[in-house]
Amino acid sequence: MNRRNILAGVAGASVAALAPSAAFAAVEQAGGPKGGREKVLPAQTSWDPLPAMTGRKLVQIPDVRLAVWDTGEGRRGPGKGQTVVLMHPHTGNGGSWGYQQAVFAAEGYRVISYSRRGYHGSDAGPSDRPGTMVGDLLALMDALGVGKFHLVGLAAGAFAAFDAGLSAPDRLLSCTVGATLAGIQEPSWNAVTTELLPEGWFNLPETFRELGPSYRAAKPKAMATWIEHTELPVTTVTQPPQNKLLWPAIESIRTPMLLLTGDCDLYLPPTRLRELARHVRNSEVVIFSEAGHAPHWESHREFNSTLLSFIRKHRR
């Protein structure tokens, strides 16, 4: 289970406080063997209505049919001929990328999102053959005729990110790993996760665990839309990774990585993101001010511009 939210990390809060008037603050980040750059982006102060998504269809892969939203081949713009694949959080589904789909498609990208097994519109599949997230991802790309692609995973959807970097590095143009524990199996990493969660955490409302307080206070109507798109029945399918996600394996990945979180994300506050970045060879780090565990909703404008800028740098 990968559900999140609210207390800002002390280190992240102090970085933001040092540059309150800047469009963003950039400080040195000791991430990966070659180091990196960290950006702290400003808080979003207004929100747009959620655009409707298009291109829904069912696609058969081994054992299951998946609900897929596919804009088709991009025809204009810098992303012409390239594909961006969006993998949703546990509180979400393939149809909850309305803030991203049209924006990325307008840049010329083919935008594909899908509900993972058991989520809105997709089969759960046989209980004795749960498959793997990466196996389903690659089978879907094969079914849709996609070769290389940019992978964007958030929260539970990003559990496929490092696993894909190890299983299919030749297929990934870039990888965005957002607001997630990333399926890392290091005992020390998981021990900190356990310590961060108070007793009774999963009895608290999802809106409290997932969305930052600024978003909940400023935009109750937007929060209601988030609830509408996330509180749909889910049949939980536990899919193991294809690889052991330990630090040495993660450090071997060469795919360009964008690591991001909100500074109000309890599961992955900025201090934990920086710890993760130290093990990622080729990474950039971005922190969204006043955002919780759903930066693609809470800071959708900055989220979109950040991802588009990163993806453009890694067109091949």
Side-chain angles (χ1 to χ4, degrees):
M1 303 292 287
N2 208 26
R3 307 188 171 185
R4 340 279 186 211
N5 219 348
I6 290 179
L7 308 172
V10 173
S14 64
V15 170
L18 290 173
S21 62
F24 64 82
V27 298
E28 290 297 332
Q29 160 65 27
K34 296 184 179 180
R37 298 289 293 177
E38 176 182 299
K39 293 181 181 179
V40 181
L41 301 181
Q44 186 167 312
T45 57
S46 63
W47 289 266
D48 307 307
L50 182 70
M53 291 184 63
T54 60
R56 181 178 174 177
K57 58 188 176 184
L58 287 175
V59 178
Q60 181 73 52
I61 65 170
D63 286 334
V64 293
R65 294 176 306 164
L66 299 179
V68 177
W69 286 256
D70 183 359
T71 62
E73 295 294 338
R75 293 180 175 82
R76 299 179 180 176
K80 181 180 178 181
Q82 297 208 340
T83 298
V84 176
V85 180
L86 307 172
M87 297 191 68
H88 64 84
H90 177 66
T91 47
N93 56 74
S96 56
W97 293 94
Y99 284 125
Q100 285 71 49
Q101 189 196 58
V103 173
F104 282 65
E107 291 288 313
Y109 295 98
R110 180 180 183 179
V111 184
I112 297 172
S113 63
Y114 66 98
S115 295
R116 300 194 308 279
R117 294 191 188 206
Y119 289 87
H120 177 54
S122 291
D123 301 334
S127 59
D128 61 338
R129 295 194 303 277
T132 65
M133 289 177 66
V134 170
D136 287 354
L137 167 67
L138 297 178
L140 179 61
M141 294 302 101
D142 290 342
L144 296 174
V146 174
K148 296 185 178 183
F149 55 93
H150 301 276
L151 180 62
V152 178
L154 284 186
F159 275 42
F162 294 129
D163 207 14
L166 292 165
S167 297
D170 57 321
R171 301 287 291 272
L172 297 184
L173 296 168
S174 73
C175 188
T176 296
V177 185
T180 184
L181 299 175
I184 295 167
Q185 296 169 308
E186 288 285 349
S188 60
W189 174 265
N190 292 323
V192 172
T193 301
T194 300
E195 292 173 2
L196 284 175
L197 305 182
E199 185 177 354
W201 173 253
F202 289 108
N203 294 325
L204 297 172
E206 281 187 339
T207 51
F208 182 84
R209 289 182 278 138
E210 297 278 335
L211 301 173
S214 292
Y215 186 82
R216 290 187 285 111
K219 284 293 173 182
K221 289 184 178 179
M223 186 174 69
T225 302
W226 180 87
I227 293 171
E228 176 186 343
H229 280 76
T230 58
E231 291 196 348
L232 296 170
V234 175
T235 301
T236 301
V237 179
T238 302
Q239 295 185 293
Q242 293 188 173
N243 300 275
K244 286 288 187 181
L245 299 182
L246 301 173
W247 293 138
I250 291 169
E251 290 165 1
S252 73
I253 298 172
R254 296 183 177 273
T255 301
M257 296 270 180
L258 174 63
L259 309 179
L260 60 86
T261 196
D263 68 1
C264 295
D265 187 332
L266 183 57
Y267 272 63
L268 197 76
T271 49
R272 298 205 81 190
L273 185 69
R274 296 182 187 110
E275 179 185 354
L276 176 60
R278 286 197 294 271
H279 298 281
V280 181
R281 176 184 297 270
N282 186 9
S283 67
E284 297 181 29
V285 175
V286 172
I287 298 168
F288 295 93
S289 297
E290 298 187 30
H293 196 59
H296 64 311
W297 281 67
E298 298 172 80
S299 300
H300 60 265
R301 296 194 198 112
E302 289 286 4
F303 180 90
N304 291 347
S305 62
T306 297
L307 261 67
L308 285 170
S309 176
F310 175 73
I311 288 171
R312 286 189 199 109
K313 288 189 293 186
H314 299 290
R315 294 193 304 266
R316 286 185 273 146

